[in-house]
Amino acid sequence: MKYDVIVVGAGLAGLVATTELADAGKKVLLIDQEPEASLGGQAWWSFGGLFLVNSPEQRRMGIKDSLELAWQDWLGSAGFDRQEDEDYWGRKWAEAYVNFAAGEKREWLYSLGIRFFPVVGWAERGGYLAEGHGNSVPRFHIVWGTGPGIVKPFETKMRKAIENSLVDYRPRHRVNELIMDNNAVIGVRGEVLIPSSAARGEASSRDVIGDFEFHAQAVVVTSGGIGGNHELIRQNWPSRLGEAPKNMISGVPEHVDGRMLTITEKAGGRIVNKDRMWHYTEGIKNWDPVWAKHGIRILPGPSSVWLDATGNRFPAPNFPGFDTLGTLEAIQKTGYDYSWFILTQKIIEKEFALSGSEQNPDLTGKSLKKVLSRILPGPTSPVKAFMDKGEDFIIADTLPELVARMNKLTGHNLLNLADIERQIVARDRELDNAFTKDLQITALRSARKYIGDKLIRVASPHKILDPSKGPLIAVRLNIVSRKTLGGLQTDLSGRVLDSAGNPVPGLYAAGEVSGFGGGGMHGYRSLEGTFLGGCLFTGRQAGRSLAEELK
């Protein structure tokens, strides 16, 4: 088969670009270093959250959203401050994406058979002024079927294109070089890795059994970010977030290593915003790991008392679910790379969800009966498994026992019972009135005015030390690596730009490797539901633009 385009990386962005090109009648070679079991990349593992603006789901929940409000929130979160250079294209991609999320995004996904859970989630609530970081309204739409439900339509289209001889998919092909001719990219060169039976996410062999060289009119790089490469994360860690964590767990498999960024840079592509990244603060070690240092993120409701490693409550607005990077900065500046939740059984029943398709079998399996069981007493079965088996969870009937076991878990003996008790008693005392100066309690009461939060997300405000709401629970929270917000700078067609701002002929990029568009469409912060959306949008744009160019 003679190829029109080579796509490097079989994650979501790669699948979307491939299927868009195949729909236009182009012949595509799709290659990936991992086994076929890992088709779909990180999207498959995701919770399946998508950022939509003024959707029917929002309107049914009584949410009044608009393009103008969404763009206000995006700008307040992104904080673009390099607009004449590194942020120039990122901002343009951001504006195009927000328009897409408020326009044809949902209709396009609906045409592919993708459906949404009816309750819209409220992620990244901010807690600052109107023009600051955060979502002013709930916008987190969970795909019915979670991550696999997003991947499936594009995998189906790809396999149909394979049957029609439009796509050639070759796993276990690791690219080492982009082939250049007269300053244009004309193909890829690399090594064939030994076949592997490794399951999705597991480490696969790097033994080489051959080499390859393929040529095409263009190459699209869709190889993901650096989330599995802790050394590279630490090299690029921004000083504004304090010292890089000495201990970190991984929200992505080891093969998310960023090697194609360096390879593309050698071919003339420019990487921008290297210091922008997105890591979660509510990570717990997976008791049943798939990859090395496998971490799961808690998707917390807003009620847990959040303490630093020395037992001091974080100041506003560092509450669960409000400002991921703001809290990351606060944690790292304590000199420790972990923190604590203290909560009750009533809070964990209502507020704890775990990120990832495998941690939400009811939504992933599209079981309405199992989803409805979430309203019953008790935590979900995945959360209960972590309570029983996870090393980061402590359950006790009294605060003295809880604090003693927290100190024992870390071995640091940093926590003082009297200090923690004083803070919790003070917090509980604020619940005796309808008035309060505790902004977290104000936030709880406000959240429950949204029917979605009241039904399934936010516990009725109560005293932490009320025995009837117990037992008490402490959770040690680790930093969990996740997303690269910078990357290859691209124009709105997905063409990779060089250091002079000119397109590198024959070279395109999409997905996380391009900072989800332009080398960083998120700026400094994400509004959530925008990583999968960024892969969808950039893959679609690159595929359609390239198909048009090759007519």
Side-chain angles (χ1 to χ4, degrees):
M1 180 188 288
K2 182 180 179 182
Y3 306 113
D4 296 308
V5 179
I6 299 168
V7 176
V8 182
L12 182 60
L15 287 174
V16 175
T18 296
T19 53
E20 288 291 340
L21 286 159
D23 284 348
K26 305 303 174 187
K27 294 191 175 182
V28 183
L29 170 64
L30 174 62
I31 56 178
D32 194 285
Q33 71 176 358
E34 294 308 302
E36 189 166 348
S38 287
L39 184 71
Q42 303 327 298
W44 191 93
W45 292 101
S46 76
F47 191 38
L50 290 175
F51 177 91
L52 295 173
V53 178
N54 192 25
S55 69
E57 289 78 16
Q58 286 176 300
R59 294 193 293 272
R60 280 195 289 268
M61 300 297 293
I63 300 163
K64 297 179 181 179
D65 201 3
S66 68
L67 173 61
E68 293 76 17
L69 183 60
W71 184 233
Q72 173 181 297
D73 287 349
W74 194 287
L75 287 177
S77 300
F80 294 121
D81 57 6
R82 305 166 183 172
Q83 297 191 51
E84 299 305 313
D85 186 20
E86 292 184 88
D87 282 338
Y88 179 80
W89 285 104
R91 178 176 170 134
K92 287 184 177 295
W93 272 97
E95 188 170 9
Y97 176 69
V98 174
N99 276 279
F100 178 62
E104 61 179 312
K105 180 180 180 182
R106 185 183 180 280
E107 182 182 353
W108 175 59
L109 293 173
Y110 224 73
S111 73
L112 295 167
I114 291 174
R115 299 294 183 265
F116 299 97
F117 186 60
V119 179
V120 183
W122 195 356
E124 288 296 297
R125 303 178 187 222
Y128 303 92
L129 299 181
E131 292 185 294
H133 168 63
N135 285 294
S136 298
V137 298
R139 295 191 177 104
F140 192 78
H141 295 66
I142 301 168
V143 168
W144 190 233
T146 67
I150 293 177
V151 171
K152 185 64 176 177
F154 300 101
E155 179 185 352
T156 299
K157 289 183 68 176
M158 182 203 74
R159 296 198 183 281
K160 184 68 174 177
I162 290 173
E163 293 176 9
N164 293 334
S165 300
L166 286 169
V167 172
D168 182 3
Y169 169 46
R170 301 199 186 192
R172 305 300 285 157
H173 281 58
R174 181 177 63 186
V175 172
N176 293 331
E177 180 186 357
L178 296 178
I179 303 170
M180 307 290 292
D181 181 41
N182 197 27
N183 295 319
V185 174
I186 62 166
V188 296
R189 187 179 289 126
E191 298 165 325
V192 181
L193 305 179
I194 191 170
S196 172
S197 60
R200 183 183 295 275
E202 292 181 350
S204 60
S205 169
R206 292 295 179 258
D207 292 342
V208 176
I209 58 171
D211 52 32
F212 66 84
E213 182 173 317
F214 297 111
H215 294 257
Q217 296 181 64
V219 173
V220 185
V221 178
T222 60
S223 53
I226 66 172
N229 189 334
H230 290 191
E231 180 181 350
L232 199 53
I233 288 171
R234 292 188 181 102
Q235 284 178 18
N236 292 294
W237 189 269
S239 59
R240 65 179 177 274
L241 295 180
E243 293 293 321
K246 295 180 178 64
N247 299 293
M248 190 164 34
I249 55 180
S250 288
V252 295
E254 296 165 272
H255 64 253
V256 187
D257 55 13
R259 66 189 305 273
M260 278 304 299
L261 280 161
T262 301
I263 291 167
T264 310
E265 190 175 32
K266 288 180 180 177
R270 184 192 184 201
I271 302 173
V272 296
N273 299 313
K274 291 182 181 181
D275 63 323
R276 295 181 184 168
M277 51 186 72
W278 188 259
H279 308 300
Y280 291 111
T281 52
E282 312 97 333
I284 50 177
K285 297 175 183 177
N286 195 343
W287 63 269
D288 186 21
V290 177
W291 54 79
K293 299 181 179 179
H294 189 172
I296 299 294
R297 185 207 174 193
I298 296 170
L299 300 172
S303 298
S304 298
V305 173
W306 204 340
L307 304 176
D308 68 21
T310 64
N312 293 306
R313 198 172 166 199
F314 286 110
N318 296 316
F319 310 136
F322 278 69
D323 180 3
T324 293
L325 289 196
T327 310
L328 177 58
E329 178 182 352
I331 290 170
Q332 289 309 116
K333 289 186 176 178
T334 66
Y336 299 91
D337 44 28
Y338 67 93
S339 60
W340 293 98
F341 277 168
I342 291 182
L343 60 152
T344 65
Q345 177 75 13
K346 289 297 182 183
I347 291 173
I348 206 168
E349 287 180 3
K350 192 75 171 274
E351 297 196 5
F352 265 40
L354 300 174
S355 183
S357 55
E358 84 284 15
Q359 300 297 332
N360 295 275
D362 50 353
L363 291 164
T364 302
K366 301 182 180 181
S367 171
L368 184 58
K369 181 179 179 181
K370 290 181 180 178
V371 169
L372 290 174
S373 72
R374 291 190 180 219
I375 65 174
L376 299 175
T380 64
S381 56
V383 171
K384 185 65 166 62
F386 271 92
M387 292 174 68
D388 293 340
K389 304 172 185 178
E391 66 176 85
D392 296 308
F393 282 76
I394 298 168
I395 303 170
D397 290 323
T398 67
L399 190 63
E401 180 190 356
L402 190 78
V403 174
R405 291 176 60 189
M406 291 164 73
N407 275 324
K408 184 178 179 181
L409 178 62
T410 64
H412 294 156
N413 209 37
L414 296 172
L415 303 173
N416 181 278
L417 171 61
D419 287 345
I420 292 175
E421 186 173 34
R422 186 197 75 250
Q423 293 175 83
I424 294 178
V425 167
R427 178 261 186 208
D428 285 358
R429 192 177 288 125
E430 293 287 307
L431 287 167
D432 289 336
N433 287 287
F435 320 104
T436 181
K437 66 180 180 182
D438 189 310
L439 290 180
Q440 185 173 11
I441 294 173
T442 299
L444 302 183
R445 290 170 173 166
S446 175
R448 284 178 59 84
K449 292 179 181 178
Y450 168 48
I451 187 64
D453 276 351
K454 187 172 183 178
L455 284 174
I456 64 171
R457 199 72 182 105
V458 182
S460 178
H462 60 269
K463 296 185 176 184
I464 298 294
L465 297 181
D466 181 349
S468 71
K469 309 299 183 184
L472 293 169
I473 300 165
V475 186
R476 179 179 59 182
L477 305 171
N478 307 272
I479 307 302
V480 56
S481 66
R482 190 60 66 89
K483 294 299 180 185
T484 313
L485 297 188
L488 295 165
Q489 194 169 40
T490 57
D491 65 13
L492 288 175
S493 295
R495 297 182 298 180
V496 176
L497 307 177
D498 62 18
S499 57
N502 300 314
V504 178
L507 183 57
Y508 288 70
E512 189 175 351
V513 76
S514 67
F516 302 96
M521 78 166 182
H522 293 94
Y524 286 95
R525 282 175 163 90
S526 166
L527 288 173
E528 291 284 32
T530 56
F531 299 132
L532 288 174
C535 290
L536 291 166
F537 187 53
T538 55
R540 183 178 187 255
Q541 287 287 96
R544 292 186 177 186
S545 297
L546 189 46
E548 186 66 27
E549 183 178 323
L550 295 178
K551 273 187 178 179

